[in-house]
């Protein structure tokens, strides 16, 4: 009887050792993947920092002014005249949608719909 119990305990011990080894191996593999991801994230953050520094340099107003002056003839850049600036009320009205195509009716129907969203009723 003791031999059977000992054999069962040995089998259980081997199964537990195998399970422990597989869990340890899986944990080591996950840790390696985490380290790989952390290094990739650090690389991407460094790349973002470098790109932001590039953008800050490339978009300096003094640099853009030099480029604008250098390529003024090719680009035909001119300062904005005050009369070119208009208020929204001075803009032309949008073209009227011809009736009969269904779009105007759809738009008119949406405006008359008392429901503002799917769950909130309008006033």
């Amino acid at each position: 009887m003791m031999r059977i119990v000992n054999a069962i305990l040995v089998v259980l011990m081997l199964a537990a050792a195998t399970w422990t080894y597989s869990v340890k191996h899986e944990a080591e593999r996950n840790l390696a993947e985490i380290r790989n991801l952390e290094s990739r994230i650090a690389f991407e953050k460094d790349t973002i920092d470098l790109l932001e520094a590039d953008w800050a340099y490339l978009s300096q107003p003094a640099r853009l002014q030099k480029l604008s002056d250098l390529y003024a003839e090719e680009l035909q850049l001119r300062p904005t005249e005050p009369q070119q600036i208009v208020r929204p009320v001075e803009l032309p009205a949008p073209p009227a949608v011809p009736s009969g195509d269904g779009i105007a009716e759809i738009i008119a129907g949406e405006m008359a719909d008392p429901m503002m969203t799917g769950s909130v009723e309008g006033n």
Side-chain angles (χ1 to χ4, degrees), residues 78-87 90:
R78 294 179 305 229
T80 303
E81 299 296 328
Q83 63 269 17
Q84 291 177 304
I85 300 172
V86 295
R87 293 181 304 198
E90 298 176 60

Side-chain angles (χ1 to χ4, degrees), residues 67-77:
L67 290 174
S68 173
D69 293 341
L70 184 64
Y71 297 107
E73 287 187 28
E74 290 87 2
L75 298 175
Q76 299 178 352
L77 297 175

Side-chain angles (χ1 to χ4, degrees), residues 37-110:
L37 287 174
E38 286 175 345
S39 67
R40 288 176 50 193
I41 289 170
F43 176 75
E44 294 296 330
K45 284 182 178 179
D46 290 344
T47 303
I48 289 170
D49 289 343
L50 181 65
L51 290 173
E52 287 177 348
D54 270 353
W55 179 254
Y57 170 72
L58 293 174
S59 62
Q60 286 180 343
R63 180 183 173 277
L64 294 176
Q65 183 64 47
K66 284 181 187 176
L67 290 174
S68 173
D69 293 341
L70 184 64
Y71 297 107
E73 287 187 28
E74 290 87 2
L75 298 175
Q76 299 178 352
L77 297 175
R78 294 179 305 229
T80 303
E81 299 296 328
Q83 63 269 17
Q84 291 177 304
I85 300 172
V86 295
R87 293 181 304 198
V89 295
E90 298 176 60
L91 293 173
V97 178
S99 63
D101 61 354
I103 295 174
E105 288 79 16
I106 291 172
I107 293 172
E110 287 181 4

Side-chain angles (χ1 to χ4, degrees), residues 19-33:
W19 179 76
T20 303
Y21 175 76
S22 67
V23 167
K24 179 186 174 198
H25 183 67
E26 180 73 20
E28 288 175 353
R29 190 172 58 205
N30 288 341
L31 184 61
E33 185 176 340

